[in-house]
Amino acid sequence: MDSRMGHRGVVLLVCLASSVGAQQAAAEPSPVSALTTTPAGPLILGDQDQLDVTITAPETPATIDRPLRVSVNVGTFGPIARVSAGLYRTTYTLPTTRFPQVALVAVWRETGPDAQVDFHRIPLSARTELPIEAKAGATVTVGVGDQELGPFEAPKNGQLVVPLVIPPGVERILVQSVRGARRAQAWVPARVPPYNHLTLALTPHRIPADGVSHVILQAYYDGPPPPLERFRITGGEGKIDALGLDGSRAIFRYVPSRAPRGGEVRLEAHIAKEPSSTASALLTLGQPIPERATPRPLEGPWLADGQSQTTLLVLVTDRYGLGVSGLVASATAAPARVVNAKELGEGLYSFRLEAPPLSADRQVKVHLDFRRIDAKLAATVELPLALPPGPADLSLQFDPPEPLPTDEPFNLRITPVDANGVPIAAQKLELEAMGATVTSSRSEGVVRHFQVHAGLGPITLRMRTENFERSRELRLIPHSGNLFLAGFLAGSYGTQILPGGGLELGYRTPWLDARLSFFLRGAYRYRQAEFSTRSPSPIGTVAVETHTIPLWLGARYEFVSTGAWRVYGHGGAGVVFGQHRLDVTFAEMPQEPAQVAIFGPAAEVGLGASWSGIFCEAAGAYEGASVNTNPTLPRVTVPPLLLSLALGYRWEVK
């Protein structure tokens, strides 16, 4: 009999190490991961070139944010995508060498030298044809491993060709022939090349060449493993120690020699006296490069109450998931506050954050920065804020509606609501009006009513509850200018107190935020005095009544204009006119009363304050009035400088 191998297309099925193939002489540690493909079934090289692969790999708190790594001794795996917790998908491209062999797959995560590595077997069968010579009419059966093919009936020429699928590990084929009472059998060599029984996994893939750091190499052998001394590890400078056999894997520790500049080391594994079984792995020397910053979920809700704190844990790894330590970590957060940042080791960093007060923001953006002298990494994390118990927002209603008239009162209704807009009671609700005055407030159920007097300029409402603070800029109707009329009572003092009063007519301009006004003011002052005189002789007395009316044009500017309150300065100039009445008595003999006209310049400057139209002013005045100079009468002089205090009310025509 003769045997020939035929090479055709391939289909791959990935299965668990415990489910297929060669007999294991030693107990292999049970894998925690599993691999399956679609469709399931025996894999025959040549039927197809690529398969979809599903990998199940349970995640723990230490591995949940580390990517899965996969290596294989024959064929290649494509990129690995995480579908859900512990579930991954990828593709596998079959090898182009189409003889029976086993693809040995290693699955692990980069958690350091002690990372758990699972090994899986993928048996790949191959097609061939077996030519058989037998007696014509004989019944022929063929046994390939555990399978029996046939029966086949030999043709008249006795030449029979049987198609076979040979799995890996089959070295002989059993052929049996029966013709009548005669039976014959023969073992035919399969004549297939020996396949590679070895693969190598190295963890971690990168370490600093400091003469202390080490990696672990696991050389997995498909089948009963040879003695440990037949395993050979070569390549690179440093120290290699054999740690022992664990099932079908031989475990070694490698400490590379110091290499300040880093580099790469290719480590080779082979089995003595078995040249077909070889494997290699590449080790990079140097600090890992930070390329990924993976945040971990917060433990519990983070309340937006201005005081709650939470810890953000971030794992910084290289592209393969190896933790990067020794970085200087910093962070900024908006609108929250970063309390501190520190390294926990193995690439894990923690950031302590303090929540902001409740506002319109429902998320906090944390900007992370990791630096080393030779590398840096920046990342942004968005963290959700949970609503604390109580109001989440405020509903505002204005009467009249916006835009609001300037310098007039308006009503404001504030309703606290929860996150769904449903009215809810607030333990505390405060209103501060900048540019306006809150004149009254009352409660009606969960609603608070406020009366506010608008000023002339912009108004900002600041509202506070037990949970948050809100600000609102109000839209006002631009001031177009108003006429006003004022009346006041006044008292002045020169050498004595002078009672009086007056009227004022003015115009508030729209200029300078309606703070500038012009006015025409007239006042009245009354003075009465009696004194003795020696000129002319003899001794006599003089009774004086003075009536003066200062009249001036002026301007007023409001330094403060908040709601109903105004604080202002004013000044003006004009004239003063009036009359003196003198009743003179000489030597107890009354004289004819004399009347003298008064006329002269006048000016006044002062400061004032008003609230809702009621005003009070303090001023200094100059009234340089003419005086009597008749030599037959006593000389009378009116003091030119006066201090005055006025109290009145100002009506503004809207």
Side-chain angles (χ1 to χ4, degrees), residues 139-507:
T139 300
V140 178
T141 59
V142 179
V144 182
D146 297 333
Q147 296 182 355
E148 184 175 293
L149 306 177
F152 306 100
E153 184 176 346
K156 291 181 179 181
N157 62 2
Q159 300 296 320
L160 185 64
V161 178
V162 178
L164 301 178
V165 175
I166 301 180
V170 173
E171 298 179 355
R172 298 188 306 168
I173 300 171
L174 177 62
V175 179
Q176 300 181 78
S177 175
V178 178
R179 186 171 182 271
R182 298 186 62 182
R183 293 177 176 271
Q185 71 175 25
W187 287 96
V188 180
R191 296 181 183 178
V192 295
Y195 71 86
N196 186 0
H197 287 252
L198 193 65
T199 192
L200 186 65
L202 178 149
T203 56
H205 74 96
R206 186 179 186 129
I207 58 171
D210 54 10
V212 178
S213 301
H214 71 278
V215 296
I216 295 295
L217 296 97
Q218 299 187 42
Y220 179 84
Y221 189 85
D222 183 45
L228 182 62
E229 55 269 17
R230 286 185 56 196
F231 286 85
R232 302 282 191 269
I233 305 293
T234 59
E237 297 182 357
K239 184 180 180 182
I240 299 177
D241 295 320
L243 303 183
L245 281 171
D246 185 8
S248 293
R249 64 185 81 187
I251 303 176
F252 298 85
R253 178 174 56 214
Y254 171 57
V255 181
S257 301
R258 286 182 174 272
R261 294 186 178 181
E264 293 181 341
V265 175
R266 174 71 65 177
L267 296 172
E268 307 279 350
H270 67 277
I271 304 298
K273 301 179 182 180
E274 192 175 325
S276 62
S277 296
T278 62
S280 67
L282 186 65
L283 171 64
T284 303
L285 300 178
Q287 295 288 350
I289 305 300
E291 296 188 35
R292 296 162 47 104
T294 306
R296 292 184 175 174
L298 300 181
E299 295 183 358
W302 188 23
L303 298 181
D305 56 7
Q307 59 185 11
S308 295
Q309 294 190 355
T310 190
T311 298
L312 171 64
L313 297 178
V314 179
L315 179 67
V316 180
T317 64
D318 65 5
R319 70 178 63 183
Y320 300 112
L322 180 62
V324 183
S325 300
L327 301 173
V328 177
S330 61
T332 59
R337 184 176 71 91
V338 180
V339 179
N340 61 47
K342 61 182 179 181
E343 180 183 359
L344 303 180
E346 300 297 330
L348 193 61
Y349 297 81
S350 75
F351 300 88
R352 192 68 177 170
L353 306 173
E354 184 178 277
L358 183 61
S359 65
D361 296 312
R362 293 292 183 266
Q363 285 189 324
V364 170
K365 279 191 175 182
V366 184
H367 300 279
L368 306 172
D369 185 79
F370 303 91
R371 293 181 180 268
R372 197 173 61 201
I373 192 170
D374 62 338
K376 63 180 180 179
L377 175 65
T380 299
V381 179
E382 291 190 356
L383 302 177
L385 287 170
L387 298 176
D393 206 348
L394 297 174
S395 173
L396 307 183
Q397 291 181 321
F398 295 92
D399 181 22
E402 291 186 277
L404 300 168
T406 55
D407 199 23
E408 285 192 10
F410 63 89
N411 296 313
L412 171 61
R413 172 176 169 168
I414 303 179
T415 306
V417 295
D418 62 15
N420 298 317
V422 178
I424 185 175
Q427 296 180 5
K428 178 182 73 172
L429 179 57
E430 298 176 351
L431 174 65
E432 178 184 356
M434 291 172 288
T437 303
V438 179
T439 57
S440 65
S441 66
R442 63 183 177 87
S443 297
E444 182 182 324
V446 299
V447 181
R448 288 290 301 277
H449 297 265
F450 296 90
Q451 187 176 64
V452 183
H453 193 111
L456 297 173
I459 298 177
T460 300
L461 299 182
R462 183 172 295 165
M463 297 153 283
R464 301 183 186 89
T465 72
E466 63 270 24
N467 292 338
F468 60 88
E469 179 177 304
R470 290 278 189 276
S471 292
R472 169 78 179 274
E473 296 284 341
L474 299 185
R475 293 181 296 119
L476 301 178
I477 299 174
H479 202 287
S480 59
N482 295 329
L483 292 173
F484 60 84
L485 178 66
F488 59 90
L489 298 175
S492 303
Y493 180 79
T495 57
Q496 67 183 82
I497 296 176
L498 309 179
L503 295 174
E504 178 183 280
L505 178 65
Y507 175 72

Side-chain angles (χ1 to χ4, degrees), residues 41-120:
L43 300 178
I44 303 173
L45 291 164
D47 284 3
Q48 65 187 85
D49 297 329
Q50 191 178 80
L51 282 183
D52 294 329
V53 180
T54 300
I55 303 175
T56 303
E59 296 173 348
T60 66
T63 63
I64 189 171
D65 38 21
R66 297 179 191 263
L68 200 66
R69 297 208 63 189
V70 175
S71 70
V72 64
N73 63 336
V74 292
T76 57
F77 277 94
I80 301 172
R82 184 177 184 267
V83 179
S84 60
L87 185 64
Y88 301 82
R89 289 205 177 108
T90 183
T91 58
Y92 177 72
T93 301
L94 281 69
T96 57
T97 52
R98 296 178 180 175
F99 60 86
Q101 54 194 301
V102 176
L104 302 175
V105 183
V107 179
W108 76 98
R109 289 186 175 91
E110 287 283 5
T111 56
D114 298 328
Q116 178 172 345
V117 182
D118 290 343
F119 292 98
H120 302 275

